[in-house]
Amino acid sequence: MRVLHLLNHTNRLNGHVHAAIDLACAQVKLGHSVAVASGGGDFDALLAANKVDTMLLSHERRPATLMKGLGVLYRQARDWRADVVHAHMMTSAVLAWPVCKILGIPLVTTVHNEFQRSSILMGLGTRVIAVSAAVARSMQRRGIPKSRLNVVLNGTIGSVRFEGKDRTPRHLDSPAIIFVGGQHPRKGLPDLFAAFSTVYKKNSGARLYVVGAGPYLDTYINLVSTMECASAVTFMGAQDDPFPFLLGADVFVLPSHADPAPLVLSEAREAGCAIVATDVDGIPELLEHGKAGILVPSREPARLSEVLCSLVENSGTLLEWRKNSQFNLEHLRIERVARETLEVYAAASRRSRGQPAKRA
């Protein structure tokens, strides 16, 4: 099959980009011809090294640019002889829909960030992939028929992004609690800081490491500077490869208020961290509904601190949950993601030809 992926860009530190890059390269390994059309970016060299064709397609949201982009995409899809177009963001879906209609090829879309209002436009796809069952339910409530939705849970294990990377654990003072993610309100970081303040009062040797960047980074740094635990919190900024930091940590914590299917949970599990995360959106699915990590209510710092204390204070409990993180870990391999996505393409192709979908 010839698969053309559409992305706004291919820059690092964007979850939907990481997921699409992983998928494209995994599909090549399975014997398919794959291309990525985008505004370009950091991963273009990696794509080329993994035999993924790259094409330039501007996604700038200006009327003249979008109109030009329609013509560019039409020629790219026609001349490259795409069997299916896979759009990963709203602008990509809007550009692809008329092109696919004219060329008579199926459009598959992936809803990576369903909390965005514009995500309803991903319903333009012949088939719509949700990155978790929670996202699928949300999109159904917003009007996308269940008959056009498929769930393909995120996974990163085996990603080419990690090939050849240094896997030496970074030294972190133990007991080390780590957060990796964007500095955004939906990630719930103030809840984590409040919880860690309690942990620190009871266990002054505990340390919190915050990896990531975002628009609220300075706000959070200022917030922590006023707390008694300030000396025990280290903001490490954005890291191209956070995996060595995960390897050096004891506990990974994700206090999100909303999170469709965060890739970092796959990475934290692979690193063997004990995991504590909120019971929202796709997080329970990535943690095997509590078998691979401890689930806590969102927006409840007291409960979060209670669980963190139990791990920090009890080495047996910590070891147990580090082992639990490996439960059914193979399900988070990128090859599984690629194979399930190819099945969605096949269903989309049958639909575009007017054939009935195969029943499971």
Side-chain angles (χ1 to χ4, degrees):
M1 182 174 286
R2 299 180 65 80
V3 183
L4 176 58
H5 291 277
L6 304 185
L7 286 165
N8 293 22
H9 56 76
T10 59
N11 289 322
R12 297 180 186 276
L13 306 179
N14 292 270
H16 75 280
V17 172
H18 294 178
I21 298 300
D22 291 350
L23 177 60
C25 294
Q27 289 172 338
V28 169
K29 287 187 176 182
L30 291 175
H32 300 272
S33 297
V34 182
V36 171
S38 75
D42 303 327
F43 285 118
D44 284 355
L46 178 68
L47 290 169
N50 283 273
K51 300 180 181 179
V52 177
D53 294 335
T54 57
M55 311 173 187
L56 281 176
L57 176 65
S58 175
H59 284 66
E60 186 180 357
R61 295 183 186 181
R62 296 174 57 185
T65 303
L66 291 174
M67 289 301 296
K68 181 180 179 181
L70 284 172
V72 171
L73 178 57
Y74 172 81
R75 291 187 293 273
Q76 289 172 339
R78 180 197 62 192
D79 297 347
W80 193 76
R81 296 179 290 111
D83 295 316
V84 62
V85 173
H86 189 160
H88 291 268
M89 294 300 286
M90 180 272 290
T91 305
S92 300
V94 171
L95 283 171
W97 184 76
V99 170
C100 289
K101 286 291 184 182
I102 293 170
L103 293 176
I105 57 178
L107 168 63
V108 172
T109 60
T110 291
V111 183
H112 293 280
N113 298 321
E114 58 85 20
F115 51 83
Q116 294 179 336
R117 291 183 181 180
S118 60
S119 65
I120 189 61
L121 289 169
M122 304 310 278
L124 292 169
T126 311
R127 304 290 296 196
V128 180
I129 293 175
V131 293
S132 66
V135 169
R137 291 191 293 270
S138 175
M139 299 313 292
Q140 277 185 256
R141 290 193 294 269
R142 296 169 70 177
I144 297 179
K146 184 178 181 180
S147 61
R148 290 199 291 117
L149 279 162
N150 292 85
V151 176
V152 179
L153 186 67
N154 277 341
T156 63
I157 297 174
S159 163
V160 298
R161 290 184 292 114
F162 304 141
E163 289 180 357
K165 293 290 185 71
D166 180 13
R167 284 298 176 258
T168 304
R170 294 295 180 93
H171 173 75
L172 304 178
D173 292 333
S174 186
I177 300 168
I178 192 168
F179 165 89
V180 178
Q183 314 293 293
H184 302 281
R186 70 179 180 86
K187 291 293 186 178
L189 278 165
D191 297 341
L192 174 56
F193 300 143
F196 182 73
S197 178
T198 300
V199 173
Y200 180 72
K201 288 177 183 177
K202 297 180 179 180
N203 306 272
S204 60
R207 294 293 181 266
L208 174 62
Y209 297 89
V210 181
V211 177
Y216 282 75
L217 177 58
D218 290 341
T219 300
Y220 294 150
I221 291 175
N222 291 335
L223 171 63
V224 170
S225 71
T226 67
M227 303 173 73
E228 291 183 14
C229 63
S231 63
V233 181
T234 302
F235 288 87
M236 310 189 77
Q239 301 290 331
D240 283 345
D241 184 12
F243 197 74
F245 295 92
L246 291 168
L247 287 171
D250 299 298
V251 180
F252 173 79
V253 61
L254 188 63
S256 300
H257 297 167
D259 232 331
L263 297 177
V264 69
L265 283 177
S266 175
E267 297 171 21
R269 287 184 58 187
E270 185 180 8
C273 296
I275 298 173
V276 183
T278 46
D279 189 6
V280 299
D281 298 337
I283 289 176
E285 296 165 59
L286 287 164
L287 293 180
E288 298 289 339
H289 299 280
K291 293 180 180 178
I294 302 173
L295 295 168
V296 297
S298 177
R299 304 174 190 267
E300 293 191 19
R303 176 56 180 154
L304 179 56
S305 68
E306 180 183 328
V307 171
L308 290 175
C309 281
S310 72
L311 294 170
V312 168
E313 296 170 358
N314 190 319
S315 59
T317 302
L318 175 63
L319 179 60
E320 177 185 0
W321 280 104
R322 294 191 76 150
K323 290 180 178 178
N324 289 348
S325 70
Q326 305 304 292
F327 176 78
N328 199 27
L329 189 62
E330 287 297 300
H331 189 62
L332 298 182
R333 295 195 68 82
I334 187 61
E335 182 180 344
R336 188 269 306 165
V337 177
R339 290 188 184 279
E340 291 184 5
T341 303
L342 289 164
E343 292 174 5
V344 177
Y345 297 165
S349 296
R350 289 192 296 271
R351 182 183 178 93
S352 68
R353 294 194 300 267
Q355 298 176 6
K358 289 185 179 178
R359 295 189 179 275

